[in-house]
Amino acid sequence: MARRHQVRSAGLTAFAAAALASATLFTACSTDSPDTRSDADAITVSQPWVKALDDVAADGGMTSAFAVVENDSDRDVRIVSASSDVAKTVELHEVVESGGTTTMREVDGGIVVPAKGSATLDPGGEHFMLMGVTKSIRSGDTVTITARFDDGSTETVEAIARDFNGNQENYSPEHTGERS
Ligand SMILES: [Cu+2]
């Protein structure tokens, strides 16, 4: 009776030791090379451009900016807000189909750049919406756009203005008071 009990507890101990060892291994693995970079350091923004804007309304015009955003880290990175030197405000927008028309609206929770992946901001998709633009932006001009990430770090890029007439999305009703 006593011997049998001994054997069983030895078996349990071995099992516990093995479990502990694998838990330790797992921990060692996941903390091997912690990515301590800020979101901005993990992100590369390329091909930034902005739609040229010729006629600016007295109360400010609107245009959109685009880029390819790559994430070199093992975690998703989120763009939570943005600003620009030529706009009063910049919103993060997406384009959605609604009742047969395409409409743009603010992205809920910001723009996600997946781990080891990228987000392509382009006409017809996610974009920076520059609102309250008070001067015209001509093809070839550069405007400064700063993206702010979830952890508070920021990345500033110079976007080149281009004439672009495709994908003129409708503005959703809450987008503007300029509807006639
Ligand atoms: Cu928009």
Side-chain angles (χ1 to χ4, degrees):
M1 214 34 198
R3 173 182 275 185
R4 186 171 176 164
H5 183 256
Q6 242 175 1
V7 169
R8 283 187 72 191
S9 67
L12 276 175
T13 304
F15 175 78
L20 188 68
S22 65
T24 306
L25 265 177
F26 180 77
T27 305
C29 238
S30 62
T31 55
D32 214 5
S33 53
D35 193 342
T36 54
R37 291 177 297 174
S38 68
D39 287 348
D41 285 341
I43 287 290
T44 306
V45 180
S46 56
Q47 304 162 47
W49 67 280
V50 58
K51 265 188 212 175
L53 183 67
D54 291 328
D55 300 311
V56 176
D59 57 346
M62 284 185 289
T63 189
S64 350
F66 314 95
V68 176
V69 186
E70 286 169 279
N71 177 3
D72 183 48
S73 75
D74 292 327
R75 63 183 188 276
D76 290 354
V77 167
R78 202 174 281 269
I79 302 172
V80 293
S81 66
S83 59
S84 169
D85 60 338
V86 297
K88 286 198 188 82
T89 55
V90 178
E91 292 185 354
L92 307 175
H93 277 192
E94 64 184 347
V95 174
V96 290
E97 288 279 337
S98 150
T101 57
T102 50
T103 303
M104 44 185 188
R105 65 178 185 201
E106 273 193 277
V107 185
D108 203 20
I111 293 172
V112 176
V113 188
K116 293 286 179 193
S118 65
T120 300
L121 281 55
D122 59 6
E126 292 173 319
H127 55 274
F128 297 111
M129 194 80 219
L130 281 61
M131 304 171 79
V133 179
T134 49
K135 60 172 193 177
S136 56
I137 301 168
R138 297 205 163 73
S139 182
D141 287 355
T142 55
V143 309
T144 299
I145 293 171
T146 299
R148 181 176 296 273
F149 303 99
D150 213 7
D151 68 354
S153 60
T154 59
E155 177 96 356
T156 299
V157 294
E158 297 279 312
I160 289 236
R162 262 193 234 168
D163 288 317
F164 185 87
N165 294 314
N167 288 84
Q168 300 288 0
E169 287 85 23
N170 298 309
Y171 299 119
S172 55
E174 67 271 22
H175 201 278
T176 171
E178 290 172 9
R179 288 158 77 92
S180 47

